[in-house]
Amino acid sequence: MRRAKSMARRANLMEKFVTSESQKRYNSETCNRSFCGEKGFLFKKAEDLGMPRFVCNVVESRSWRDFAKHPQPTVIPVVREFYANFPNDASEWVYVRGSRVLFDSRTINSFFQLQDVEDGYEDYVSALEDHEWAEMLLRVCVPGTQWEKSYQGAWTVNRASLLPTAKVWYHFLKTRLLPSTHGKTVSKDRIAMVDAIISGMHINVGRVISEQIRVCANRKKGSLLFPSLISALCFEHNVPISDEEERLKLGGVRSQAAIARIIQDKGEEQGHATGPSGSRQQQGPLPSGHFGQIEQRLSLIEVQQALFIQQQQEMWNYQRKRDIALQKKLRRNSRQFFSFPQFPTDSLGSQFDEAHQ
């Protein structure tokens, strides 16, 4: 009996782990790593998706409805096994519980119902010169923002310096395209991605995510990326998953109220431009991109208006439900009393009948 249980347990381990190295990696590294859960927008069935115009325009123009919506919960054991079994070569699949799970760009794009387009983002970023990086800041940041260099030599800007539209899309891409755990600073490549999203540049979503999954798998520390997507790909490739396996429900859904909180960043000073250090800058001549920045600043008013309309609708719904409940209660209570006589049949009685015979 014990031998049978031992053999069953060994067979189960062989099914979970491709090699003994995979099992060692799982026990020493993967099982101890946290998750960087994806976050998305809370879309509605309305024509504008229930989102501000600057969000709706990007989503519709890029066909990002499936990609940008809030994802499903994560199946924790499956994601850990995926990264533990990750191949050391350039393969674009991982064996998970006996099933081959593809994670190449075409598969990921197909899952999100996106076309496998040519990616202009990578070539664009590699060819940028210093003055073009400075012009990029004028498009996505408040006037006076400058690049800061860290001790490790990385160029960043303060998150509070981003314009409203850029703030919202940065919060999106930091879990869905180029994941990051940095809270207050934004790296150079993520600034470029924000600019690419807003400007309409072609972005091969599948390629970017596939590369990020490979980078994550080659690390020994740090959070495991794209757990919801990996869980969904395992479902798509018929990986056996039971209902009892531990799930991780992803929070941080981007509703209208959440977007308003993102835009109203506590680190952003109101009424004047701030540099990355938060110091007040003197206003000089208007830069060439100033009117585009004014348009993006109006996004804050747009979100506030949408939030106000949503609150009004909720109040009207509450009042309607309250009135219906009061009407039902009044009808129910009125049945306890005698009904008033109807004129003339009940009031005159037989006299009314004799008069009409």
Side-chain angles (χ1 to χ4, degrees):
M1 189 68 178
R2 290 182 179 177
R3 184 179 180 183
K5 289 184 177 179
S6 177
M7 291 179 63
R9 182 173 178 273
R10 187 178 302 174
N12 188 29
L13 289 176
M14 289 178 63
E15 186 179 353
K16 284 187 176 182
F17 304 110
V18 178
T19 64
S20 58
E21 292 296 325
S22 300
Q23 185 176 352
K24 290 179 181 178
R25 187 188 307 163
Y26 180 90
N27 294 329
S28 62
E29 300 172 10
T30 311
C31 67
N32 298 319
R33 295 172 68 175
S34 59
F35 293 94
C36 179
E38 299 102 310
K39 300 176 182 179
F41 297 104
L42 181 62
F43 292 141
K44 297 182 179 179
K45 295 182 179 180
E47 185 177 351
D48 60 355
L49 304 178
M51 288 285 114
R53 177 170 48 84
F54 67 87
V55 173
C56 184
N57 288 347
V58 172
V59 171
E60 292 294 349
S61 63
R62 294 184 175 275
S63 300
W64 274 10
R65 283 204 183 197
D66 287 341
F67 172 55
K69 70 181 181 182
H70 197 64
Q72 297 298 316
T74 294
V75 184
I76 294 177
V78 167
V79 177
R80 295 195 187 281
E81 292 167 26
F82 176 91
Y83 278 107
N85 291 321
F86 202 88
N88 295 323
D89 55 18
S91 301
E92 294 184 321
W93 62 80
V94 179
Y95 279 103
V96 182
R97 301 180 182 180
S99 298
R100 193 173 74 161
V101 179
L102 295 169
F103 66 93
D104 61 298
S105 63
R106 189 179 298 275
T107 299
I108 295 174
N109 284 327
S110 176
F111 175 77
F112 290 124
Q113 298 186 24
L114 299 174
Q115 294 183 352
D116 205 37
V117 299
E118 289 189 16
D119 195 348
Y121 165 75
E122 189 173 4
D123 294 337
Y124 165 72
V125 172
S126 61
L128 284 174
E129 298 182 0
D130 291 344
H131 72 278
E132 292 175 309
W133 285 104
E135 292 173 358
M136 186 183 297
L137 289 186
L138 295 177
R139 294 193 294 269
V140 300
C141 297
V142 297
T145 304
Q146 296 180 354
W147 291 105
E148 291 184 341
K149 192 174 183 180
S150 66
Y151 292 110
Q152 292 80 17
W155 291 95
T156 63
V157 297
N158 194 309
R159 186 193 65 191
S161 301
L162 296 176
L163 290 170
T165 303
K167 280 183 182 178
V168 173
W169 285 112
Y170 168 69
H171 276 267
F172 172 79
L173 73 85
K174 68 179 293 189
T175 64
R176 301 303 296 269
L177 272 174
L178 296 177
S180 172
T181 56
H182 293 285
K184 295 184 178 181
T185 58
V186 186
S187 62
K188 211 172 184 180
D189 56 340
R190 289 173 179 82
I191 288 289
M193 180 62 79
V194 169
D195 184 53
I197 291 174
I198 297 173
S199 63
M201 186 181 302
H202 285 304
I203 300 173
N204 191 319
V205 171
R207 183 197 64 80
V208 175
I209 293 178
S210 179
E211 289 183 358
Q212 290 297 309
I213 290 176
R214 188 175 297 279
V215 170
C216 175
N218 292 330
R219 292 176 184 157
K220 295 184 177 180
K221 297 181 180 180
S223 301
L224 298 176
L225 307 181
F226 308 104
S228 178
L229 171 61
I230 291 173
S231 298
L233 291 178
C234 289
F235 274 113
E236 291 280 327
H237 290 83
N238 300 316
V239 173
I241 300 174
S242 66
D243 295 336
E244 290 76 22
E245 295 192 70
E246 185 180 3
R247 259 74 167 175
L248 175 65
K249 188 176 181 179
L250 303 175
V253 61
R254 304 311 188 198
S255 62
Q256 287 184 344
I259 291 175
R261 289 194 298 270
I262 290 172
I263 290 178
Q264 295 171 331
D265 196 304
K266 293 182 179 180
E268 180 183 18
E269 296 189 28
Q270 303 293 332
H272 57 269
T274 60
S277 62
S279 59
R280 189 162 183 165
Q281 306 286 336
Q282 288 186 349
Q283 295 286 345
L286 295 179
S288 58
H290 183 72
F291 293 105
Q293 294 169 1
I294 291 177
E295 181 180 356
Q296 293 195 54
R297 284 180 175 277
L298 291 176
S299 300
L300 174 59
I301 300 175
E302 182 184 357
V303 172
Q304 291 173 337
Q305 288 177 339
L307 191 58
F308 175 71
I309 293 173
Q310 181 184 10
Q311 291 172 345
Q312 274 190 326
Q313 292 174 342
E314 291 175 354
M315 176 60 71
W316 292 336
N317 290 335
Y318 163 75
Q319 290 176 345
R320 185 175 67 254
K321 292 178 180 179
R322 180 200 61 189
D323 293 343
I324 293 174
L326 288 174
Q327 290 174 4
K328 289 181 179 179
K329 190 171 183 180
L330 182 60
R331 291 194 192 100
R332 186 168 57 251
N333 292 338
S334 64
R335 293 172 186 170
Q336 301 175 6
F337 301 97
F338 295 104
S339 59
F340 291 98
Q342 294 184 356
F343 184 85
T345 55
D346 294 341
S347 301
L348 299 178
S350 58
Q351 298 178 5
F352 177 79
D353 296 336
E354 293 174 358
H356 283 76
Q357 287 180 353

